[in-house]
Amino acid sequence: MDELDTEIVRLLQTDARQSNRELARRLGIAPSTCLERVRTLTRRGVIRGYHADINPADLNRGVQALVSVQIRPLSRTVINTVKDDVSGMPEVISVFVVAGGDDLVLHVGVPDLDRLHAFLLDRLSKRKEIVGFRTSVIFQHVHNTALSRLET
Amino acid sequence: MDELDTEIVRLLQTDARQSNRELARRLGIAPSTCLERVRTLTRRGVIRGYHADINPADLNRGVQALVSVQIRPLSRTVINTVKDDVSGMPEVISVFVVAGGDDLVLHVGVPDLDRLHAFLLDRLSKRKEIVGFRTSVIFQHVHNTALSRLET
DNA sequence: AATGAAAGCCCCGCTAC
DNA sequence: GTAGCGGGGCTTTCATT
C-alpha cells in the first residue's frame, strides 16, 4: 500500500464504475500499470468488491432504525447463532457485534412503522436468547464514501 | 421500478463493475435495453453511485466503534451543526441522526484504541453541545450487500 | 514495477422493425 | 423493447526496459 495504491482505492471508492483508462489518466500512469495495481489490490483483499448505492426508499426501506440488542447467555455460540440468524433476515441491512451494555446492534430498514413494529415483536422477541432491545428510529444517515487512510 | 429494474439494482449491488453486456446477458434482455434502464434508474436517483468496498484494516481502521451521543440544547440547528461537524472528521465512517435516548450515533474507525480514546476526548468532548456519549467497541460487522426490495 | 503497441472486445449512437 | 451495424474507445496481454 504505497501512495499510488491509496489514491487508487480513494478514486474507486468515489466512483467504482470509471474505466481503467480514466483511472490511469487521473493518476498519471499507464493503463496497463493501473490494471495490474488494481488486480494486485483485489488479490490481496484490499479491494473487497464493488457495490451500487441504491436509494433505500426505492427498496421500500423508507423507515430505518438502530436496534440495540441484549443476549443471554453471553456465549460465543449463542452470539454467533443469533448474529447469523438476524443477518439473514431481509429487513436487516447490517449487524454489529459489540462490547458494552449491548451485545448486538442491528441496522434495519422497512417500508413503514407497522413493519418495524412487526419486525421487533414477531422476529426479535420470538428468540429466547434475546432478553431485551432498544430501538432508535433513524432520521438521517450520512455516509463517508471516500474514506482516507489514517496515519498510524 | 418493475421486476426487471429490481433485478438490475440487485445485480449491480452485488457487482457494480460488470459490463452492461454481462448485465444484459444475465437478465436475458438486449444490451441497449439494459443500458437505457440503467440510465433511467440513475437519472431518477434510484442508483445513487458506485463504490469500491475497501478492507477497513488497510485504511488503518482496525478498531471501530459505535458512539451514542447526547446533545443539548436539542434544536434543529444545533443537531445539524454537530452532525455536519462530526461527519467531516476523518475518523467518522457514518453518522446516524436518531430519535430515542440518543441524538446521534457515530460509526468511527481508527488505527488503535489510543486513537479511539483521543478521538473521544480531544474531538467529541471539546464540543460544548455534546453533553454525553457512550462507546461500544465493534467486534464484527456483517453487511448485507444485496438488499432485496421489500413488499409493501 | 512500468511501459507502449497491438489484438480483440465493448460501448453507444444510429437505424429499422 | 429488439436487432444489427460501425466508429471509436477501452481492456488486456506481452515483449521490453
Side-chain angles (χ1 to χ4, degrees):
Chain A
M1 280 293 277
D2 58 13
E3 288 180 16
L4 203 48
D5 287 337
T6 304
E7 191 62 8
I8 288 174
V9 303
R10 193 185 65 77
L11 288 170
L12 285 177
Q13 280 182 89
T14 305
D15 177 11
R17 253 180 107 79
Q18 62 190 304
S19 72
N20 180 62
R21 220 180 167 78
E22 176 72 6
L23 199 55
R25 194 189 58 74
R26 289 192 171 145
L27 295 162
I29 62 177
S32 51
T33 308
C34 188
L35 185 64
E36 182 56 28
R37 288 264 189 170
V38 171
R39 279 211 267 242
T40 303
L41 288 167
T42 304
R43 183 160 30 77
R44 294 209 330 245
V46 177
I47 298 174
R48 302 197 291 195
Y50 306 95
H51 306 293
D53 174 20
I54 306 300
N55 189 339
D58 292 304
L59 294 173
N60 288 334
R61 290 153 193 285
V63 171
Q64 296 188 21
L66 294 178
V67 185
S68 305
V69 177
Q70 286 87 46
I71 293 176
R72 295 294 179 282
L74 259 186
S75 76
R76 179 189 292 269
T77 47
V78 171
I79 289 178
N80 273 331
T81 304
V82 177
K83 180 198 69 184
D84 291 344
D85 194 11
V86 295
S87 62
M89 297 177 182
E91 298 91 344
V92 174
I93 298 169
S94 79
V95 179
F96 299 89
V97 182
V98 298
D102 310 312
D103 304 307
L104 297 181
V105 176
L106 316 183
H107 179 193
V108 306
V110 288
D112 51 48
L113 283 173
D114 275 352
R115 295 287 294 268
L116 178 59
H117 204 187
F119 171 79
L120 297 172
L121 299 183
D122 301 339
R123 300 267 213 172
L124 289 195
S125 295
K126 288 282 165 65
R127 299 220 50 135
K128 289 191 304 292
E129 306 95 327
I130 296 180
V131 297
F133 53 82
R134 195 172 61 87
T135 304
S136 299
V137 172
I138 298 170
F139 294 129
Q140 290 180 56
H141 183 195
V142 312
H143 207 94
N144 186 349
T145 51
L147 280 187
S148 57
R149 185 158 65 103
L150 294 180
E151 304 302 318
T152 44
Chain B
M1 278 295 278
D2 58 10
E3 288 180 17
L4 202 49
D5 286 337
T6 305
E7 190 63 7
I8 288 174
V9 302
R10 195 186 64 78
L11 288 170
L12 284 177
Q13 278 182 89
T14 306
D15 177 11
R17 256 181 105 78
Q18 60 191 308
S19 72
N20 179 63
R21 254 185 133 73
E22 175 73 5
L23 200 54
R25 194 189 57 73
R26 290 194 171 143
L27 296 163
I29 61 176
S32 53
T33 308
C34 188
L35 187 63
E36 185 52 31
R37 289 261 190 173
V38 170
R39 278 211 268 243
T40 303
L41 288 168
T42 304
R43 186 160 28 79
R44 291 209 333 244
V46 177
I47 298 175
R48 302 196 292 195
Y50 306 94
H51 306 292
D53 174 19
I54 306 300
N55 189 339
D58 292 303
L59 294 173
N60 288 333
R61 289 152 193 285
V63 170
Q64 296 187 21
L66 294 178
V67 185
S68 305
V69 177
Q70 286 88 44
I71 293 177
R72 295 294 179 281
L74 259 187
S75 75
R76 179 190 291 270
T77 47
V78 171
I79 289 178
N80 274 331
T81 304
V82 177
K83 180 199 69 184
D84 291 344
D85 193 11
V86 296
S87 62
M89 297 178 181
E91 298 91 345
V92 174
I93 298 168
S94 76
V95 179
F96 299 89
V97 182
V98 298
D102 309 313
D103 304 307
L104 296 181
V105 176
L106 314 183
H107 179 194
V108 305
V110 287
D112 51 49
L113 284 173
D114 275 352
R115 293 286 295 266
L116 178 59
H117 204 186
F119 171 79
L120 297 172
L121 299 182
D122 300 339
R123 300 266 215 173
L124 290 194
S125 296
K126 288 283 166 63
R127 298 220 49 136
K128 291 191 304 291
E129 306 94 329
I130 296 179
V131 296
F133 53 83
R134 195 172 61 86
T135 305
S136 299
V137 172
I138 298 171
F139 294 131
Q140 289 179 56
H141 183 195
V142 314
H143 207 93
N144 185 350
T145 51
L147 280 187
S148 56
R149 186 160 64 101
L150 295 180
E151 305 302 319
T152 43

